[in-house]
Amino acid sequence: MKVGFIGLGIMGGPMARHLHRAGLLAAVYNRTRSKAEPFGKMGVHVAESPADLARRVDVVIEMVSDAPDVEQVLFGAGGVVEGARPGLVVVDMSTNSPDWARKFAERLAERGIEFLDAPVTGGQRGAEEGTLTVMVGGREDLFQRLLPVFKAFAKEVIYAGPVGYGQAMKLVNQVVISLNTIAMVEGLRLAEALGLDVEKVARLLTVGAARSGSIELYLPKLLKGDLSPGFKAAHLKKDLAYAMEIANRKGLSLPASALALELYKRMVEKGLGELGIHALGKSY
């Protein structure tokens, strides 16, 4: 199985390297070519366009920022569909929404192209260590066929259901992550105001009942003053907006999630969107 990878950023670059180590990576493409050139030195074809990449592979994985970027990569000038043949599989590993996933699947199916929505969680560390969790929506037989691809960079691979269910599960995950992160940031602010030893508080939060994946990932960075993104605040704000759009459409009350969206909106408005989600306290 020959795999092509589009989008070699914080997450995509490490994921593509794991695919190369597994002997699956045949081609890469990135808008900023300099990020793709190290793969060329490894013997991987550096494509001139998504269409060029699609002509050379059986599976196209794209990991870009948002639905409009996915649409451009797939259907824009020089996009994947221009180089695709019937039977090609496209895997969207970015985070957007179930609605977008179904739209992409329908448009690709018209050209005989298969589709899975497969967003990931685990942040930059998970991508680098090959321990991501992948949530997959689409045909189950296709999911089973692509398991070796997912397992090249993931510790857990969950079949969520039909197309769109991978994105739906990811939005649930993002709501919980946002609330855990807010709890961590506000807990630390309270600890500092009370004059507590923050290192000791950190120990409590990583061994007691309050512990969570967000705390394990981001608390060590906060204590070092490292606000660099394992996952950008602007991206979490985007994900929460998708979640709240669905909640509002369904008449579902999610007051804490609405607050999380407002807090991350504020952070982005203050020019802090490129920092990690754990840098939320900067906007207080």
Side-chain angles (χ1 to χ4, degrees):
M1 199 173 342
K2 294 179 181 178
V3 179
F5 206 104
I6 297 172
L8 302 169
I10 288 174
M11 301 290 291
M15 291 164 69
R17 286 193 288 274
H18 285 296
L19 286 167
H20 175 65
R21 292 186 192 107
L24 295 168
L25 189 66
V28 293
Y29 173 77
N30 197 76
R31 280 182 300 186
T32 306
R33 189 179 173 88
S34 60
K35 290 185 179 180
E37 285 171 350
F39 289 91
K41 294 175 182 176
M42 300 177 197
V44 177
H45 176 72
V46 177
E48 295 297 325
S49 66
D52 175 34
L53 178 140
R55 291 185 190 102
R56 300 169 180 270
V57 299
D58 308 303
V59 178
V60 174
I61 293 176
E62 39 83 8
M63 171 65 93
V64 293
S65 296
D66 198 355
D69 305 293
V70 177
E71 190 168 37
Q72 179 64 34
V73 161
L74 296 181
F75 306 106
V80 166
V81 296
E82 290 185 13
R85 64 189 181 284
L88 180 74
V89 180
V90 169
V91 183
D92 176 20
M93 303 198 81
S94 61
T95 301
N96 40 78
S97 75
D99 293 338
W100 276 109
R102 287 187 279 267
K103 287 176 186 175
F104 294 143
E106 288 167 7
R107 291 177 69 181
L108 291 170
E110 291 170 1
R111 298 169 180 263
I113 302 168
E114 305 275 10
F115 178 82
L116 294 173
D117 54 297
V120 305
T121 187
Q124 181 180 10
R125 189 171 84 181
E128 290 173 349
E129 295 176 357
T131 57
L132 293 170
T133 296
V134 186
M135 299 141 276
V136 187
R139 284 205 341 263
E140 190 166 7
D141 63 313
L142 190 57
F143 161 77
Q144 293 292 345
R145 181 150 55 102
L146 264 67
L147 263 179
V149 174
F150 297 132
K151 287 185 174 179
F153 46 71
K155 184 178 180 180
E156 296 286 341
V157 186
I158 301 168
Y159 177 65
V163 166
Y165 276 50
Q167 294 293 356
M169 193 173 283
K170 177 63 183 288
L171 294 182
V172 172
N173 183 77
Q174 298 305 78
V175 163
V176 175
I177 281 178
S178 69
L179 299 179
N180 282 343
T181 305
I182 292 167
M184 175 183 67
V185 168
E186 294 198 358
L188 287 180
R189 287 174 63 80
L190 179 61
E192 290 168 351
L194 292 170
L196 293 172
D197 184 326
V198 176
E199 294 283 347
K200 291 178 180 176
V201 171
R203 182 182 170 202
L204 166 69
L205 296 180
T206 52
V207 299
R211 69 187 184 278
S212 72
S214 295
I215 287 173
E216 290 172 5
L217 274 172
Y218 297 118
L219 186 52
K221 293 185 76 168
L222 266 180
L223 294 180
K224 289 188 292 186
D226 178 3
L227 303 182
S228 63
F231 185 62
K232 292 181 182 179
H235 291 171
L236 184 56
K237 174 246 175 187
K238 175 259 299 180
D239 298 347
L240 289 169
Y242 279 127
M244 290 308 301
E245 177 190 346
I246 294 169
N248 292 335
R249 194 193 315 155
K250 291 183 175 291
L252 183 64
S253 176
L254 298 177
S257 301
L259 173 61
L261 175 56
E262 183 58 34
L263 290 172
Y264 277 100
K265 269 185 182 175
R266 233 180 269 170
M267 189 173 173
V268 171
E269 287 165 2
K270 292 185 177 185
L272 304 171
E274 295 298 300
L275 297 178
I277 64 173
H278 60 295
L280 181 64
K282 290 279 285 183
S283 68
Y284 276 61

